Amino acid sequence: MDSDDESFEEHDSGNVSSGDDDFAMDVDINNPRDRGQETDEYPYDVLTTDEIVQHMVDCIKDVNTVVEIPATITRILLNHFKWDKEKLMERFYDGDQDKLFKDAHVINPFRKPSLALKPKIKKSRTEDCEICYSTFPPSMMTGLECGHRFCTQCWQEYLTTKIVEEGLGQSIACAAHGCDILVDDVTVMRLVQDSRVRLKYQHLITNSFVECNRLLRWCPSADCTYAIRVQYVDPRPVVCKCNHVFCFECGENWHDPVQCKLLKKWIKKCDDDSETSNWIAANTKECPKCNVTIEKDGGCNHMVCKNQNCKHDFCWVCLGSWEPHGSSWYNCNRYDEDEARAARDAQERLRSTLARYLHYYNRYINHMQSLKFEHKLYAAVKEKMEEMQQHNMSWIEVQFLKKAVDILCQCRQTLMCTYVFAYYLKKNNQSQIFEENQKDLETATETLSEYLERDITSENLADIKQKVQDKYRYCEKRRKALLDHVHEGYEKDWWEYTIN
């Protein structure tokens, strides 16, 4: 690669790699090995930020050895094609090169610069900056291949604003109005003198490289600076060096057995509905005529629908038409009327959809909250393990407690995801088997959780150890049976979904 690459080879990447976590009680939720799914079936690498930068440099070198254009332009072209080298090479040799460079917002390096692009130097050997309208000697003016030149001070202020305030890295365009030619990284590093701004820019370039590259993904764990590199995109679990396990395709916590598309819909639905659903169920009803949701804001049971196209008068208590109620303004006694019964039936049907959602949502949230408590259990278990070693037990003999908490967390995570799967699942014979497997795993998981919360003394140590070991082995088997059944259903097309 030519010298243009020095801007990344000689500077910090803008991130700090986190070291390996040596804490002995790390959570290992949903390890991909648990279902007989060895990690070498889905090859991937965990990269530090320095390795990410080197990977970017290597990608540029690979393309440059073939196309032989400046590395700065190669970097912009690769970013335009989301770092797909094969796609870039195909377009470069098989398509219209002028259109290729234009679409990528760079000047074609194979075209000689037009006379119109040469700097306008006055007889006094000076140039005018069209931003600050000051006059400078040519040495204090600079620009891009598009021919737009401004003073170095204006360039520095412009680039600093774009980087610091707007957070732009790869997509900074020329400072000239209406010009979409992109500023290359070498120009940025040459013009920007503030080390903090340069570091911010390098961080943005690194981040853009990962986010644009479909074969790379940042670890979503808080404060983690590692990225995962794969050979092909698949909804598979990957394990970061920080021990976080997530789905490479969607970036969410590993969510077996539910598929990415259903989990995405569920998360969106929860974000939209969960905050208001309970309040709606408790405080509102639907107009029996137009189904608009109505809140009762006074003591009178005589309701008038606010929908301008409806204006229906009805009773809040029985949902029947108000007209037959006569003077019974505050005490409805007409519960058996046909009209009121029909209105209540319609109301029940409308509420059943909400009730069904809340059924699955509450259980999903319950396991999520229990999982957070289970994480706290690691600290307590660590103390118990130290205490048990004082009762003449070896370090190996007390590892059953950590193993039990690992499996408990795995089961909680799986159960949480099963309620997402179940919410969208249509009823059939196989869904009934799934629900039985779900019930068995849930019962065993709750029992294991109770065992781990008991006080351990020298008197009950042997009994507790045997019960915990037996139960976590059973939980492991039930979890595997549930996941195997769901995946068999995927392979044999057993599952049908109700997508609202």
Side-chain angles (χ1 to χ4, degrees):
M1 181 183 296
D2 67 40
S3 60
D4 290 339
D5 297 311
E6 293 177 357
S7 61
F8 279 96
E9 289 178 328
E10 295 182 359
H11 294 279
D12 195 288
S13 62
N15 289 321
V16 179
S17 299
S18 57
D20 293 339
D21 192 347
D22 295 327
F23 181 45
M25 304 302 290
D26 283 329
V27 183
D28 191 18
I29 298 174
N30 269 335
N31 192 306
R33 294 181 177 85
D34 292 336
R35 209 177 52 81
Q37 186 181 46
E38 296 293 337
T39 52
D40 59 3
E41 291 181 7
Y42 186 54
Y44 64 89
D45 301 309
V46 182
L47 305 181
T48 65
T49 48
D50 289 336
E51 290 170 333
I52 294 167
V53 172
Q54 186 58 50
H55 177 42
M56 179 169 59
V57 171
D58 292 342
C59 289
I60 296 168
K61 283 182 178 179
D62 291 343
V63 175
N64 257 19
T65 55
V66 179
V67 299
E68 296 182 348
I69 59 177
T72 53
I73 295 179
T74 304
R75 185 179 289 109
I76 294 174
L77 290 176
L78 279 167
N79 192 68
H80 177 68
F81 286 98
K82 299 190 180 299
W83 294 87
D84 188 329
K85 294 184 289 186
E86 290 72 19
K87 192 172 182 179
L88 168 58
M89 304 285 272
E90 180 183 342
R91 279 286 306 277
F92 187 84
Y93 286 107
D94 298 339
D96 182 343
Q97 286 192 359
D98 285 334
K99 187 176 187 305
L100 166 66
F101 289 110
K102 182 179 179 181
D103 291 344
H105 305 298
V106 293
I107 298 294
N108 188 338
F110 300 111
R111 299 285 184 188
K112 290 185 178 180
S114 169
L115 292 175
L117 300 181
K118 292 186 177 180
K120 299 175 182 178
I121 302 176
K122 300 178 180 179
K123 292 182 179 179
S124 59
R125 306 299 296 173
T126 59
E127 293 182 62
D128 292 333
C129 174
E130 295 182 4
I131 294 178
C132 64
Y133 294 102
S134 299
T135 301
F136 298 93
S139 60
M140 296 181 65
M141 299 285 288
T142 189
L144 307 177
E145 292 296 323
C146 58
H148 297 117
R149 290 166 61 83
F150 308 100
C151 70
T152 54
Q153 181 65 32
C154 287
W155 269 113
Q156 288 173 5
E157 293 178 2
Y158 171 75
L159 293 173
T160 299
T161 300
K162 290 292 181 182
I163 294 166
V164 176
E165 296 184 12
E166 299 182 27
L168 298 181
Q170 291 277 20
S171 57
I172 302 176
C174 174
H177 176 70
C179 181
D180 61 0
I181 297 302
L182 297 179
V183 184
D184 61 86
D185 57 283
V186 172
T187 300
V188 173
M189 298 301 289
R190 175 170 55 86
L191 291 172
V192 175
Q193 301 301 316
D194 190 321
S195 59
R196 291 171 298 180
V197 179
R198 291 160 69 97
L199 192 65
K200 171 76 171 177
Y201 177 73
Q202 290 164 346
H203 172 78
L204 290 170
I205 293 292
T206 306
N207 192 57
S208 175
F209 171 64
V210 174
E211 293 186 349
C212 285
N213 194 324
R214 64 187 185 86
L215 299 180
L216 290 171
R217 185 181 283 277
W218 289 113
C219 172
S221 182
D223 300 324
C224 180
T225 58
Y226 289 109
I228 307 296
R229 177 178 60 188
V230 299
Q231 297 178 12
Y232 56 92
V233 178
D234 213 25
R236 297 283 198 91
V238 291
V239 186
C240 182
K241 287 183 179 179
C242 69
N243 289 322
H244 183 63
V245 186
F246 64 97
C247 172
F248 184 85
E249 184 169 277
C250 68
E252 297 291 341
N253 290 346
W254 180 232
H255 48 76
D256 208 14
V258 68
Q259 295 176 329
C260 298
K261 59 182 181 181
L262 292 182
L263 181 66
K264 183 178 179 180
K265 288 181 70 68
W266 173 259
I267 291 173
K268 184 178 186 304
K269 183 173 182 61
C270 290
D271 290 342
D272 293 343
D273 294 349
S274 60
E275 293 296 325
T276 57
S277 293
N278 283 310
W279 186 91
I280 289 173
N283 297 282
T284 68
K285 294 182 180 182
E286 283 76 33
C287 168
K289 185 175 180 181
C290 70
N291 294 329
V292 166
T293 301
I294 295 175
E295 176 191 3
K296 185 181 180 185
D297 58 1
C300 179
N301 289 323
H302 179 196
M303 309 301 295
V304 180
C305 180
K306 297 296 185 182
N307 184 350
Q308 295 298 318
N309 297 321
C310 179
K311 296 290 187 181
H312 179 57
D313 290 73
F314 65 96
C315 173
W316 176 262
V317 179
C318 71
L319 298 177
S321 176
W322 183 257
E323 186 178 355
H325 285 59
S327 60
S328 302
W329 286 80
Y330 298 96
N331 185 22
C332 173
N333 61 355
R334 298 178 182 272
Y335 293 105
D336 296 328
E337 290 183 1
D338 292 340
E339 182 183 1
R341 189 181 303 111
R344 289 196 299 275
D345 291 344
Q347 178 86 16
E348 184 64 29
R349 286 193 297 272
L350 289 168
R351 291 303 170 100
S352 65
T353 301
L354 177 60
R356 181 177 181 274
Y357 163 68
L358 290 175
H359 170 86
Y360 290 102
Y361 173 78
N362 289 334
R363 284 153 182 78
Y364 169 82
I365 288 296
N366 177 62
H367 282 295
M368 180 185 291
Q369 292 172 340
S370 295
L371 185 59
K372 292 177 182 177
F373 291 132
E374 259 44 297
H375 287 177
K376 295 180 181 178
L377 193 58
Y378 275 91
V381 163
K382 188 179 181 182
E383 292 181 5
K384 288 181 181 179
M385 290 170 67
E386 292 172 352
E387 182 182 341
M388 290 164 66
Q389 289 180 68
Q390 296 175 1
H391 292 289
N392 298 321
M393 294 187 71
S394 67
W395 182 85
I396 294 177
E397 287 178 310
V398 300
Q399 287 302 301
F400 78 93
L401 277 177
K402 180 182 182 300
K403 174 73 171 177
V405 181
D406 284 341
I407 292 173
L408 179 62
C409 289
Q410 292 165 13
C411 291
R412 290 285 188 203
Q413 181 76 17
T414 299
L415 284 167
M416 188 174 78
C417 295
T418 61
Y419 281 104
V420 181
F421 179 73
Y423 175 74
Y424 292 105
L425 192 63
K426 282 187 178 180
K427 298 292 184 182
N428 58 27
N429 290 338
Q430 294 298 330
S431 72
Q432 293 179 4
I433 296 175
F434 162 77
E435 288 174 348
E436 285 298 317
N437 287 335
Q438 184 188 46
K439 183 179 73 172
D440 288 347
L441 177 59
E442 197 157 33
T443 302
T445 300
E446 296 301 338
T447 304
L448 177 60
S449 182
E450 290 176 10
Y451 286 162
L452 288 172
E453 291 178 0
R454 291 182 182 177
D455 291 331
I456 298 178
T457 64
S458 56
E459 289 77 17
N460 68 3
L461 176 59
D463 181 56
I464 288 290
K465 180 178 180 180
Q466 187 62 52
K467 286 182 176 179
V468 168
Q469 287 179 322
D470 289 345
K471 190 54 65 176
Y472 79 59
R473 287 169 185 148
Y474 180 74
C475 285
E476 255 188 323
K477 290 178 182 178
R478 296 314 308 161
R479 178 172 174 268
K480 184 177 185 302
L482 183 149
L483 293 174
D484 286 346
H485 176 249
V486 173
H487 283 272
E488 184 182 3
Y490 285 140
E491 294 168 4
K492 297 181 178 179
D493 292 327
W494 288 341
W495 314 124
E496 295 181 354
Y497 305 103
T498 55
I499 306 297
N500 298 326

